[in-house]
Amino acid sequence: KAGVTQTPRYLIKTRGQQVTLSCSPISGHRSVSWYQQTPGQGLQFLFEYFSETQRNKGNFPGRFSGRQFSNSRSEMNVSTLELGDSALYLCASSFSVRDTEAFFGQGTRLTVV
Amino acid sequence: DAKTTQPPSMDCAEGRAANLPCNHSTISGNEYVYWYRQIHSQGPQYIIHGLKNNETNEMASLIITEDRKSSTLILPHATLRDTAVYYCIVRVSERSRGRRALTFGSGTRLQVQP
């Protein structure tokens, strides 16, 4: 079974630009969550999608948004990039109908210059 | 979700058991204890979880005290590849109250020494 796939793995953007990151969950998983990891703040929850609906949201500004498609694939978008948005963005998928673990992808390393 | 407290770092000799403690004194009756680890530059990896009974799988054992206020993750024969940050997380079961995000603390940085 293929794992969680995140693309691209690395990205460099300029301040003020916007970026879209993609996550393909494990086949059959319907829940996708996004996390931001920085050296200073650690791993922080961004949002979660299930059946194309946002079910949970962390404490991030509106510049951070996401969506989920009918095939459970998810994208997150960050607009008007700031230097502080430089981070590892991680996606996790889970089956979501029973108490189980989340499977994380390798992440997308975003650098804002 | 209950807060957890873990030592910031630990060392372990290769081949020996690594015992990683976690305090979760405010845990509620419907909260599970989860352990994840993150090897450098990779996404977190699920290890094990439990409610009140001790659990064992191919990766590790989880020992939860009777009052559930603390737990210990045991890696029975640590290898160099077990060097990682280990996170202890407490959260409600999805069955009991909808979905909750994983709240990662600072974790314990385990260094396995050759």
Side-chain angles (χ1 to χ4, degrees):
Chain A
K1 205 186 229 186
V4 177
T5 305
Q6 291 189 245
T7 56
R9 289 292 311 278
Y10 302 92
L11 205 47
I12 300 175
K13 288 285 189 179
T14 306
R15 262 186 310 178
Q17 286 187 310
Q18 68 97 25
V19 67
T20 299
L21 311 180
S22 178
C23 173
S24 293
I26 290 171
S27 177
H29 285 191
R30 294 168 64 196
S31 171
V32 173
S33 300
W34 288 89
Y35 291 80
Q36 181 197 64
Q37 186 171 30
T38 60
Q41 300 295 320
L43 268 156
Q44 292 188 288
F45 170 72
L46 279 156
F47 28 65
E48 179 182 15
Y49 288 86
F50 179 73
S51 292
E52 302 177 65
T53 302
Q54 189 180 88
R55 296 301 182 101
N56 209 349
K57 189 175 189 311
N59 192 24
F60 277 81
R63 299 186 297 107
F64 292 81
S65 63
R67 58 178 176 167
Q68 186 180 34
F69 302 96
S70 59
N71 61 359
S72 294
R73 191 177 70 84
S74 177
E75 288 181 347
M76 69 161 280
N77 184 77
V78 187
S79 62
T80 321
L81 283 165
E82 301 176 0
L83 296 179
D85 297 333
S86 295
L88 180 66
Y89 289 89
L90 292 156
C91 163
S93 81
S94 59
F95 190 57
S96 192
V97 294
R98 58 185 174 89
D99 199 15
T100 186
E101 66 267 28
F103 295 85
F104 282 81
Q106 297 277 59
T108 294
R109 171 82 56 190
L110 171 66
T111 302
V112 182
V113 298
Chain B
D1 294 332
K3 247 183 108 165
T4 62
T5 304
Q6 298 177 254
S9 64
M10 291 181 66
D11 284 345
C12 175
E14 191 177 16
R16 305 297 294 267
N19 297 290
L20 293 99
C22 179
N23 283 318
H24 30 79
S25 58
T26 59
I27 193 170
S28 301
N30 63 347
E31 288 180 316
Y32 283 69
V33 180
Y34 286 77
W35 283 83
Y36 281 76
R37 73 179 181 184
Q38 188 173 23
I39 295 169
H40 184 62
S41 294
Q42 295 183 23
Q45 177 191 24
Y46 165 84
I47 301 173
I48 200 167
H49 76 280
L51 183 62
K52 52 185 175 182
N53 298 321
N54 298 337
E55 302 286 345
T56 295
N57 63 20
E58 64 279 2
M59 285 182 70
S61 294
L62 173 60
I63 309 297
I64 302 174
T65 58
E66 197 170 332
D67 63 8
R68 303 210 322 123
K69 293 185 183 215
S70 65
S71 60
T72 301
L73 178 75
I74 301 172
L75 308 178
H77 306 287
T79 70
L80 297 178
R81 284 177 293 185
D82 292 322
T83 292
V85 178
Y86 287 77
Y87 298 98
C88 169
I89 299 164
V90 173
R91 71 164 175 164
V92 296
S93 155
E94 284 86 344
R95 270 196 195 135
S96 65
R97 208 165 56 170
R99 288 200 54 83
R100 292 297 179 96
L102 293 165
T103 303
F104 289 84
S106 304
T108 295
R109 186 171 297 277
L110 176 69
Q111 180 69 51
V112 180
Q113 307 283 0

